[in-house]
Amino acid sequence: MKYFEHAPVFKLYGGQEEWSRAERVHCETIASRSRLHNWHIRPHRHSGLYQILHLHRGRAIVCLDEARHPVAGPAIVEVPQAFVHGFEFDEDCAGHVVTIAYPLLARLVQLLGPRATPPAQPVIHALERGGTGLRDAFTHLNAQYLSQEDFRDARIEAWLTLIYARLRSRRPGAEPEGPPRARGLEHHTRFGELLEASYAAHHDVAWYAQRLGMTAAHLNVITRAHAGKSPLQLIHERLALEAARSLVYTSMTIGEISDSLGFSEPAHFTRFFRKTAGESPRAFRQRAWDQGSASPPVTADASRVAPRA
């Protein structure tokens, strides 16, 4: 691919408006972000995130790797992590963009069954004109995302489950043709799957590399190419992310969270979290609960601190 190595890695496009690291889904209208960029979202990619674009009205050019696909609404585009993608929207486009963290995606698959496994390649669904079911579901999801009502997270997950189940129960209207995934991208995806299953075990980079059949140095090259970060950074970020979610969304004590995440004692967990978040677990939780929502991202350089003392 001509531009793959140069395509930036974002949480959300533009890199400035990342949503809370404790939250697992983000929802916004197409216009809210595209209007800021003259309706042109340049090729980029995401690490650890699955994106669903719902184009309710209008026309767009969807760029997937090096291919350009004209799409007319109503339609849906699904983009797995690490695929380079971009959009050129007409100014009358309307719809929503939903970005899902892979841990939540895995939970949806577990809930819905093996048939709900996300596609490995980007998929374009052509929707029937006049149908309102999916459009209304995206509208309700966006409304709940913006609200501060009681049981907000449960309501968001309910609408997201409905949307994802509908997508997995339909046959794709179009599946972009192109070369198979490069071996490096497959290894990056497999590393993410291993990390999701094993982050609380505090395995080192060599352990993951061995199970992928490569050296730690080779794994470092792969993750830097596809996520812009070292394997150790990704390991620590996943651990810090789960810690943040446990602090915000559960009533477990600091000691219970420490045990659940595999730390030998709470003091080690507290040092790790303070290094990554810039504040103690207790202060992080109190601030999040005082605000009534998830806290700002955990963004410090976690690569300099080991999970265990």
Side-chain angles (χ1 to χ4, degrees), residues 203-215:
H203 294 305
D204 59 15
V205 174
W207 184 90
Y208 289 98
Q210 182 180 28
R211 276 148 185 78
L212 293 171
M214 65 182 66
T215 65

Side-chain angles (χ1 to χ4, degrees), residues 217-235:
H218 188 191
L219 180 57
N220 182 63
V221 171
I222 288 172
T223 61
R224 287 190 181 279
H226 294 283
K229 297 177 180 178
S230 71
L232 188 60
Q233 284 177 296
L234 296 175
I235 292 168

Side-chain angles (χ1 to χ4, degrees), residues 25-29 32 96-99 138-139 141-143 145-146:
V25 62
H26 181 273
C27 183
E28 64 185 11
T29 64
S32 64
H96 298 88
V97 180
V98 179
T99 307
F138 277 99
T139 300
L141 173 61
N142 189 60
Y145 183 81
L146 296 174

Side-chain angles (χ1 to χ4, degrees), residues 71 91 135 138 179 203 211 230 276-277 285 292-293 305:
V71 176
E91 293 188 9
R135 182 193 67 188
F138 277 99
H203 294 305
R211 276 148 185 78
S230 71
T276 59
R285 164 177 274 174
S293 62
V305 59

Side-chain angles (χ1 to χ4, degrees), residues 76-195:
I76 285 178
V77 182
E78 295 183 81
V79 184
Q81 68 170 342
F83 276 93
V84 178
H85 59 287
F87 305 100
E88 300 172 14
F89 296 106
D90 288 351
E91 293 188 9
D92 64 343
C93 281
H96 298 88
V97 180
V98 179
T99 307
I100 309 168
Y102 266 81
L104 175 56
L105 191 63
R107 175 172 170 171
L108 295 181
V109 173
Q110 183 179 27
L111 174 67
L112 298 173
R115 291 181 58 192
T117 299
Q121 302 273 351
V123 175
I124 300 174
H125 302 266
L127 304 180
E128 296 179 2
R129 293 188 178 277
T132 59
L134 275 173
R135 182 193 67 188
D136 290 346
F138 277 99
T139 300
H140 284 298
L141 173 61
N142 189 60
Q144 291 302 324
Y145 183 81
L146 296 174
S147 78
Q148 293 297 328
E149 297 180 7
D150 291 341
F151 309 111
R152 169 182 177 269
D153 299 320
R155 294 168 186 260
I156 288 173
E157 192 164 324
W159 284 111
L160 184 61
T161 302
L162 173 62
I163 290 169
Y164 190 75
R166 289 282 298 274
L167 291 178
R168 296 285 70 82
S169 64
R170 58 181 294 115
R171 299 180 63 183
E175 187 162 354
E177 296 182 359
R181 285 186 129 189
R183 180 62 59 87
L185 187 53
E186 292 178 357
H187 285 320
H188 176 70
T189 300
R190 179 59 180 149
F191 171 68
E193 293 170 352
L194 285 172
L195 178 58

